[in-house]
Amino acid sequence: MLTDKIAVVTGASRGIGKEIALTLAAKGAVVIVNYNGSASKAEDVVREIQEAGGRGEAIQCNVSDYEKASELMAYVAKKYGRVDILVNNAGITRDNLLMKMSEEDFDAVVSTNLKGAFNCIKHISRQMLKQKSGRIINVSSVSGVMGNAGQANYCASKAGIIGLTKSVARELASRGITSNAVAPGFIDTEMTQVLPDAVKNTATEQIPMKHFGSTKDIANTVAFLASDEAGYITGQVICVDGGMAM
Ligand code: NAP
């Protein structure tokens, strides 16, 4: 259980982040449901948490904005007195072949996916150091482990997350703070629902288990990494991908 733990989940208005928020709340955590543009969806997630007897609130913040991320973490630390769990889940794609990829699309993806995680970790680390405890869980991707044609920006950001995760783990391990990454394979969310059928079929062929994963598969792994049972695990990348990256 995660009773009374204070958790921040970035990009929790839908998809994987929503499922992580619902799962942590069901285990007793107070969940800060972060979103960027989808206010009403984030409020719906909070309502769902509350209707199930849990606690949480929705807070808007573009995590790629260094100052705004600072304000988000300061607000949570002040209001709740501590932050036990940070899940860096917010992410976007702007897929294209390298030759056609614009500088803008490269910067946007790295800025949200990688710098966003850095911003949140940076601004919560002082509070976690003060507490001498904390769980940082970053959502990477098998694309960051294996690479993927048409996703140079996304793969670079997700591989960067792995380096960030391990560096933070080494810096903070002696202070009771763990830092791990979860690398999902193909998961059924809005991000993958927009893919053409041909791409989905090719992807399915590459998965040893021959089907996409569910958001619950990722949320359960995140909940485990946030739990007391995972207290001796740090600096790891757990692929939840039906065997894709092995
Ligand atoms: P999704 O359905 O597109 O949801 C993305 C979430 O990120 C939304 O809640 C969105 O909020 C939020 N977000 C985007 N930009 C943000 C920003 N600048 N600041 C704060 N929040 C922001 O995506 P998903 O499929 O659930 O993916 C979640 C994470 O898992 C991502 O990091 C993704 O790269 C990773 N992942 C997904 C898959 C997959 O197959 N789906 C596979 C591997 C890894 P708003 O709607 O408010 O903008």
Side-chain angles (χ1 to χ4, degrees), residues 17-131:
K18 173 183 176 179
E19 195 71 51
I20 292 170
L22 294 175
T23 302
L24 298 184
K27 291 180 181 293
V30 178
V31 180
I32 311 311
V33 175
N34 161 254
Y35 66 96
N36 187 22
S38 308
S40 67
K41 285 187 177 177
E43 292 297 347
D44 287 346
V45 175
V46 172
R47 205 166 305 117
E48 206 173 322
I49 286 172
Q50 289 168 345
E51 280 168 9
R55 291 163 294 166
E57 67 172 299
I59 303 182
Q60 193 281 333
C61 173
N62 177 352
V63 294
S64 69
D65 184 321
Y66 187 79
E67 292 305 327
K68 296 285 180 208
S70 171
E71 287 168 20
L72 168 68
M73 295 308 166
Y75 167 84
V76 178
K78 184 155 188 268
K79 178 164 179 182
Y80 295 97
R82 56 186 298 114
V83 181
D84 301 291
I85 302 160
L86 167 65
V87 184
N88 284 307
N89 166 79
I92 59 168
T93 50
R94 297 275 188 280
D95 297 351
N96 217 332
L97 292 172
L98 180 70
M99 295 302 288
K100 293 182 181 167
M101 187 173 286
S102 68
E103 180 185 12
E104 193 187 19
D105 283 349
F106 186 88
D107 287 347
V109 168
V110 171
S111 182
T112 298
N113 299 7
L114 180 55
K115 189 180 166 211
F118 164 76
N119 288 344
C120 293
I121 295 169
K122 158 97 189 184
H123 293 307
I124 211 55
S125 55
R126 195 178 299 278
Q127 176 63 37
M128 287 184 170
L129 285 167
K130 212 159 63 180
Q131 297 167 190

Side-chain angles (χ1 to χ4, degrees), residues 171-182:
E171 284 189 33
L172 304 183
S174 66
R175 315 294 286 274
I177 301 164
T178 67
S179 167
N180 291 289
V182 175

Side-chain angles (χ1 to χ4, degrees), residues 141-148 151 154-156 158-159 184:
S141 168
V142 288
S143 300
V145 177
M146 304 167 71
N148 193 20
Q151 287 198 309
Y154 185 77
C155 296
K158 294 299 184 179

